[in-house]
Amino acid sequence: MVLNSYQPGEFYDELFAADGKPRSIATTLIDKISSLSLAELQQHQNLAQSTLFKTGVTFNVYSDDRGTEKILPFDIIPRTICDREWQLLERGLKQRIHALNLFLSDIYGQQQIILDGIIPQEVVYSATGFLKPCMGIQPPQGIWCHITGTDLVRDKDGSWYVLEDNLRCPSGVSYVLEGRRVMKSTFPRLFEKMQILPVEDYPSRLLETLLYLAPDSIPYPTVVVLTPGIYNSAYFEHSFLARQMGVQLVESRDLTISDGFLKMRTTKGLQQVDVIYRRIDDEFIDPLTFRADSMLGVPGLMDVYRAGRVAIANAPGTGVADDKVVYAYMPAIVKYYLDEEQIIPNVPTYQCWEPKQRQYVLENLDKLVVKAAAESGGYGMLIGTKSTAEERSEFAAKITADPRNYIAQPTLCLSRVPTLLPDGIDGRHVDLRPYILNGRDIYINPGGLTRVALKEGSLVVNSSQGGGTKDTWVVR
Amino acid sequence: MLSRVANSIYWLNRYIERAENIARFVDVNLNLLLDSAVVDDQQWEPLVLTTGDLEIFRSRYGVATAENVVRFLTYDEKYHNSILSCLQSARENARSIREVISSEMWEQVNSFYFMVKEAAEADPQPELPSFFEAVKMASHQFAGVMAATMSHNEAWHFGRMGRSIERADKTTRILDVKYFIVLPGGVGSPLDELQWIALLRSVSAYEMYRKTCHRISPPDIAKFLIFDREFPRSIQHCLRSAEKSLHLISGNNHTNSWCNPAELKLGKLRSELDFLSIEEVIERGLHEFLDETQRRINIVSREIGDTFMTIDLEAIS
């Protein structure tokens, strides 16, 4: 009923074709939503949100006012992707992870790609994620990026692009799993009628990925999840994943180095740890090697790691590959290592450190999106089409002062999905972050996190900027 | 298991039990005063005295009126042992070990916390008797959910030990409240009997006491709440339950021996109570006995902390 007046408009809509008819994979879903009144939909939505709140699927934890954590706004109208299209995305993501891993091995090894002149040395060395102390390290099984969240977007014409990779400690997978659980209780019949690919095996796959890193000589390896603690905004997820895998959740104060091994303090004395799934940033891992002011890491951990006595996922140093300037070289990186074209292309990217491209950027600020190379979470960004002259001149000054730190991309018109709002249903822009595990083989959880910009017309989907999430249904 | 986790689940349970018992001993005082002919604010200061935090109270509130004492013990966010603060601490501890406890336990702690927080913020605040009833019930629910949804493993025993230790301590204090109530009619008056009944009710012991001892007699009541091996809030029952968990944790199968200082102190206290009569307690003075027992329970708790929850690195390597 509420959907009768819905118009996809000039945008690519994930549920509706351009002529306003439902896409074939979404008809059952749309019939169901159309059969409900706005009040009923909102009731479902409130129930879903309160379930998430009750189970503590929260983010953005308090600092001093205790108990004020919030839940990420969750929209009960899912985003659908047809299976055939998903297979293409899967191939593209596998290709990308494969190339990124080869790139990381090379950068921290022989640096052949620099010697061959494909990527300038200064681009790599000036990336904040490049960690010199990781040079020469050979991580267990040769894997650097074990867990990746790659952000994909779809433009007006329906074509997919990779917006960025998150190779350090991507978060959000707990929303995928908990969101799916809530959706199953909200629309149980739809799951019977439609063939929706399951996402629930993610924790088992993650555990396998981590166990794969332990030395064969250890029959029952000890895996832990390392969290900065309960005040971290993603704490829920750290605890959730540890619980789902049945492994210990540790803080740095639980860990110590003893006899050259990493140990945790238990009620029965010290116990050896073999694999760490770390959810703290690279530079905080070991205050002796990186930031001396880090309270989150374990002094001496890097030595144990270098000696091959503990595995760390993701490997320290992976951040160099998700730098926004390095990103611009991805087509060349894929070509260089795999001799293939990118299956999912990059968004065309202008590099401000290169004078000609910088000039183009400065002349076209009103049409481009400018991003700071080392920022994430939607901070340090200029969306030219929605900016004021003042903001543009401010960014022009920043770019001129520190060109290495900026890239620019054409403004993509992100696809939209019908979204439940207080006064009805309207289209809102979305992106997609699938979660990729790289172990014995590469596994991609079907679907991923669909982030939605709840503000009308907004293109920024980050939770810190008023974004919400939707369940993602890969439909066969 | 991690020492930090042991510490958190131990204190999670202590804080929940503490909140419940504060509700109980404020409730008993309210009941005693309802039955009393004299309405006198002097009856409230002893309540704060039994918490051991009279100084904090005086510096914040001054006079011990009913209203001040109830606010202090119930909703005062700045007093670390108020019901509200206990729930905050319980929830913080639960949050840090969510992967160890069951989801149902977390949900129970979480909704318990929000129930108290909303009551504190409500205007007008809920009637006290029904609020205290809700606190007691929520605490029972937590214990029930924990017993029924979490494996009775090492972590669970740390939790149960925390609850038992806290309950033993608080039963001594509730019994002590009666000591301070000045009786207009003197010991043995009808009013006195009513007050003892109110006290038994406040620890949910009235019916069980009647089944065991029939007549209301102060020495029998003290005996019941200190020594009864079957009643789950008696001091001795709590100590035995704590001792059982402690031995299961350390793997020492012999309750008549010890392998760490915590077992030594707890075993000593428990076995002394085994061979003590109520006559001896009364001869020594009930209040003095209760005071001494509290002190020794504190020592047991400290030894548990030292044995399991902090690791002396030098001793190991």
Side-chain angles (χ1 to χ4, degrees):
Chain A
M1 208 191 257
V2 203
L3 266 178
N4 285 350
S5 56
Y6 184 80
Q7 281 302 324
E10 52 178 328
F11 305 100
Y12 185 95
D13 195 283
E14 299 287 345
L15 299 193
F16 290 90
D19 57 6
K21 291 214 181 79
R23 296 186 186 276
S24 62
I25 48 156
T27 47
T28 316
L29 168 67
I30 287 165
D31 286 349
K32 173 69 188 174
I33 291 171
S34 305
S35 73
L36 298 169
S37 70
L38 182 61
E40 284 170 318
L41 285 168
Q42 267 154 357
Q43 204 179 347
H44 279 309
Q45 177 113 322
N46 291 341
L47 191 65
Q49 305 235 20
S50 78
T51 306
L52 290 173
F53 189 72
K54 229 174 68 191
T55 50
V57 189
T58 52
F59 81 110
N60 197 18
V61 198
Y62 44 85
S63 47
D64 54 355
D65 181 16
R66 300 187 189 191
T68 55
E69 58 264 55
K70 301 173 187 147
I71 62 162
L72 210 52
F74 179 76
D75 188 83
I76 55 164
I77 304 176
R79 179 250 195 95
T80 52
I81 299 175
C82 91
D83 186 37
R84 255 201 333 248
E85 194 162 28
W86 176 250
Q87 285 168 13
L88 175 85
L89 293 180
E90 256 187 345
R91 279 207 310 281
L93 290 168
K94 281 183 180 170
Q95 176 197 51
R96 193 170 181 95
I97 294 303
H98 195 187
L100 281 168
N101 204 63
L102 289 169
F103 173 69
L104 284 161
S105 299
D106 190 17
I107 285 299
Y108 290 112
Q110 303 298 318
Q111 302 195 333
Q112 205 59 47
I113 194 168
I114 295 174
L115 298 175
D116 287 341
I118 308 295
I119 184 167
Q121 190 181 44
E122 59 268 30
V123 165
V124 172
Y125 279 55
S126 62
T128 50
F130 177 71
L131 302 178
K132 268 238 172 87
C134 296
M135 285 300 297
I137 287 182
Q138 289 173 335
Q141 312 287 0
I143 302 171
W144 291 80
C145 45
H146 312 85
I147 299 115
T148 309
T150 293
D151 292 345
L152 304 175
V153 293
R154 202 205 273 274
D155 198 10
K156 213 172 207 167
D157 63 354
S159 48
W160 290 92
Y161 293 93
V162 174
L163 195 61
E164 63 183 50
D165 304 287
N166 296 280
L167 294 168
R168 282 166 274 199
C169 18
S171 62
V173 73
S174 58
Y175 297 121
V176 175
L177 299 171
E178 288 295 89
R180 176 60 61 87
R181 209 166 56 87
V182 166
M183 287 299 281
K184 278 186 169 166
S185 60
T186 309
F187 297 122
R189 295 294 303 279
L190 283 180
F191 282 86
E192 284 169 24
K193 286 192 205 150
M194 298 170 70
Q195 280 195 41
I196 301 161
L197 298 193
V199 296
E200 289 84 351
D201 61 343
Y202 182 84
S204 328
R205 300 279 191 152
L206 177 60
L207 182 61
E208 286 308 320
T209 306
L210 296 168
L211 286 170
Y212 181 57
L213 305 177
D216 288 337
S217 56
I218 297 171
Y220 302 105
T222 301
V223 176
V224 300
V225 178
L226 175 59
T227 175
I230 63 170
Y231 297 106
N232 184 272
S233 63
Y235 178 76
F236 165 74
E237 179 158 303
H238 308 161
S239 147
F240 175 84
L241 290 173
R243 195 165 62 230
Q244 294 291 314
M245 291 190 287
V247 305
Q248 297 275 14
L249 177 69
V250 302
E251 297 175 18
S252 64
R253 59 192 160 124
D254 298 322
L255 299 174
T256 184
I257 311 288
S258 158
D259 302 331
F261 286 89
L262 180 68
K263 308 267 175 92
M264 56 183 178
R265 299 183 170 97
T266 78
T267 53
K268 301 215 161 43
L270 296 179
Q271 187 193 332
Q272 186 175 320
V273 173
D274 306 300
V275 183
I276 306 180
Y277 175 25
R278 51 106 176 182
R279 293 296 299 255
I280 64 179
D281 271 339
D282 297 50
E283 47 190 332
F284 292 101
I285 286 180
D286 180 352
L288 294 185
T289 309
F290 307 114
R291 284 180 63 150
D293 62 341
S294 170
M295 305 289 287
L296 306 174
V298 187
L301 176 59
M302 283 302 285
D303 292 338
V304 181
Y305 175 60
R306 235 178 254 122
R309 289 169 158 183
V310 69
I312 303 178
N314 287 350
T318 46
V320 64
D322 67 17
D323 182 90
K324 289 189 172 67
V325 178
V326 175
Y327 162 91
Y329 289 88
M330 268 314 281
I333 289 171
V334 171
K335 182 87 186 152
Y336 179 76
Y337 293 110
L338 306 177
D339 196 21
E340 294 172 9
E341 299 303 322
Q342 277 190 304
I343 297 172
I344 317 171
N346 265 21
V347 180
T349 301
Y350 304 98
Q351 303 170 50
C352 299
W353 67 274
E354 211 271 329
K356 263 197 189 149
Q357 297 189 29
R358 177 167 67 242
Q359 193 174 349
Y360 175 83
V361 170
L362 290 173
E363 283 164 6
N364 292 279
L365 276 179
D366 56 334
K367 300 186 191 76
L368 299 169
V369 176
V370 182
K371 296 177 182 172
E375 296 272 4
S376 62
Y379 294 103
M381 224 168 117
L382 174 83
I383 298 181
T385 50
K386 300 206 185 322
S387 64
T388 62
E390 200 180 328
E391 284 167 338
R392 286 195 295 275
S393 64
E394 182 194 324
F395 261 79
K398 283 187 188 171
I399 293 168
T400 318
D402 184 9
R404 167 61 180 84
N405 196 31
Y406 290 92
I407 56 140
Q409 295 167 336
T411 314
L412 296 186
C413 185
L414 307 191
S415 61
R416 302 204 312 177
V417 181
T419 299
L420 186 60
L421 301 159
D423 50 356
I425 292 178
D426 200 6
R428 287 292 182 267
H429 296 290
V430 295
D431 78 348
L432 177 66
R433 176 182 288 183
Y435 294 89
I436 306 141
L437 298 175
N438 184 9
R440 206 175 295 276
D441 42 36
I442 297 176
Y443 159 83
I444 300 161
N445 190 248
L449 185 67
T450 291
R451 298 187 296 178
V452 52
L454 294 173
K455 268 185 257 166
E456 188 170 5
S458 169
L459 293 168
V460 188
V461 296
N462 303 77
S463 59
S464 50
Q465 315 281 317
T469 70
K470 283 170 172 290
D471 195 11
T472 311
W473 291 0
V474 177
V475 183
R476 191 163 275 159
Chain B
M1 66 183 297
L2 292 175
S3 301
R4 175 178 55 81
V5 170
N7 186 58
S8 291
I9 193 160
Y10 178 82
W11 281 101
L12 162 61
N13 279 271
R14 283 201 70 156
Y15 280 122
I16 297 274
E17 185 68 26
R18 185 170 295 176
E20 176 190 331
N21 281 286
I22 292 164
R24 285 179 185 279
F25 72 66
V26 179
D27 202 30
V28 66
N29 214 43
L30 280 174
N31 280 323
L32 292 176
L33 292 176
L34 286 181
D35 290 334
S36 163
V38 210
V39 179
D40 188 350
D41 272 347
Q42 281 175 11
Q43 304 291 19
W44 284 95
E45 189 166 284
L47 201 64
V48 185
L49 188 66
T50 63
T51 62
D53 294 321
L54 187 60
E55 260 177 58
I56 304 178
F57 175 81
R58 281 204 178 130
S59 69
R60 302 266 318 278
Y61 291 87
V63 194
T65 61
E67 198 195 335
N68 283 347
V69 172
V70 169
R71 179 146 31 104
F72 179 65
L73 294 175
T74 311
Y75 298 126
D76 190 336
E77 220 168 340
K78 297 199 182 84
Y79 171 49
H80 61 282
N81 279 332
S82 71
I83 294 179
L84 181 57
S85 297
C86 284
L87 262 302
Q88 269 168 356
S89 305
R91 184 168 180 273
E92 290 283 279
N93 276 292
R95 255 172 74 79
S96 72
I97 51 168
R98 281 197 54 188
E99 80 293 350
V100 176
I101 61 178
S102 66
S103 305
E104 288 87 348
M105 283 168 72
W106 161 252
E107 282 169 31
Q108 178 58 28
V109 176
N110 206 24
S111 55
F112 191 176
Y113 165 71
F114 280 110
M115 186 267 282
V116 174
K117 188 175 153 74
E118 276 157 26
E121 286 163 0
D123 188 24
Q125 282 164 342
E127 291 290 330
L128 286 173
S130 64
F131 173 72
F132 290 139
E133 197 50 47
V135 169
K136 283 187 249 177
M137 196 42 74
S139 167
H140 290 324
Q141 277 167 354
F142 175 78
V145 162
M146 177 166 147
T149 63
M150 181 177 174
S151 291
H152 292 199
N153 52 17
E154 193 185 355
W156 189 85
H157 282 289
F158 271 108
R160 189 175 79 161
M161 193 159 64
R163 187 178 321 124
S164 305
I165 296 273
E166 181 69 26
R167 191 182 287 173
D169 174 79
K170 287 299 177 291
T171 299
T172 65
R173 291 172 198 269
I174 290 172
L175 203 45
D176 224 14
V177 172
K178 179 69 179 72
Y179 170 86
F180 287 103
I181 299 284
V182 187
L183 296 174
V187 178
S189 68
L191 188 59
D192 188 38
E193 177 155 335
L194 281 178
Q195 291 190 341
W196 281 109
I197 291 174
L199 183 135
L200 283 170
R201 283 227 163 91
S202 80
V203 286
S204 307
Y206 178 64
E207 291 164 20
M208 296 302 140
Y209 171 81
R210 281 285 194 197
K211 285 186 219 305
T212 314
C213 308
H214 315 296
R215 283 214 180 91
I216 299 295
S217 111
D220 279 349
I221 291 172
K223 186 177 161 195
F224 186 75
L225 291 182
I226 297 168
F227 297 117
D228 194 272
R229 290 195 181 180
E230 290 165 353
F231 183 65
R233 308 197 75 83
S234 83
I235 297 167
Q236 186 66 325
H237 186 279
C238 295
L239 293 179
R240 285 174 162 265
S241 146
E243 194 181 24
K244 222 181 279 171
S245 287
L246 182 56
H247 281 260
L248 280 163
I249 289 164
S250 60
N252 174 7
N253 296 324
H254 310 284
T255 41
N256 53 0
S257 74
W258 54 275
C259 65
N260 59 50
E263 285 181 6
L264 171 66
K265 298 287 185 198
L266 181 53
K268 212 170 185 177
L269 177 58
R270 190 265 309 151
S271 59
E272 274 179 36
L273 291 196
D274 274 342
F275 296 97
L276 191 66
S277 70
I278 189 66
E279 289 74 21
E280 285 171 283
V281 169
I282 289 169
E283 200 181 321
R284 214 204 298 174
L286 180 60
H287 173 66
E288 287 69 22
F289 167 80
L290 293 171
D291 232 24
E292 168 70 7
T293 308
Q294 277 165 27
R295 202 180 57 77
R296 292 178 65 180
I297 291 171
N298 278 341
I299 293 172
V300 168
S301 182
R302 203 161 52 232
E303 292 294 353
I304 290 171
D306 288 350
T307 305
F308 299 103
M309 296 166 193
T310 49
I311 298 287
D312 184 358
L313 288 175
E314 257 129 37
I316 287 159
S317 61

